[in-house]
Amino acid sequence: MKTVYETTGTCSKAIVLDVDDATGVINSVQFVGGCAGNTVGISQLVRGQKAEDVIRRLEGITCGMKPTSCPDQLAHALRQMLAK
């Protein structure tokens, strides 16, 4: 399933996700905006991983004084996607 998640509280503006419906494995992640090196790195690291595993690892990560981060927003996006 492909979807676009609009982020809140981060430098990135959105996350484009593609997760296999049958297996829950992440095919691709692309951040729109944000710190290019970090977001590309995150995208590469989570590709091929199960969405539920990525949620457990990334949920709750903050960025500086912000209450969220790009990794945390990815966890929110994946959680929302799995709930559908």
Side-chain angles (χ1 to χ4, degrees):
M1 169 189 287
K2 291 185 181 183
T3 191
V4 177
Y5 178 84
E6 292 187 24
T7 59
T8 58
T10 60
C11 299
S12 63
K13 301 299 178 202
I15 305 170
V16 181
L17 297 164
D18 180 12
V19 177
D20 185 282
D21 290 336
T23 64
V25 171
I26 299 169
N27 294 321
S28 67
V29 172
Q30 180 184 8
F31 287 84
V32 178
C35 303
N38 291 333
T39 56
V40 170
I42 293 166
S43 299
Q44 294 296 319
L45 289 170
V46 302
R47 187 175 36 172
Q49 301 294 315
K50 286 195 161 273
E52 291 177 357
D53 293 337
V54 172
I55 292 167
R56 278 194 294 276
R57 290 182 185 131
L58 301 183
E59 196 166 46
I61 293 174
T62 59
C63 183
M65 298 301 291
K66 297 177 184 178
T68 189
S69 65
C70 289
D72 182 55
Q73 288 294 293
L74 175 56
H76 288 281
L78 290 167
R79 186 174 296 287
Q80 182 181 58
M81 184 180 232
L82 292 178
K84 290 184 181 180

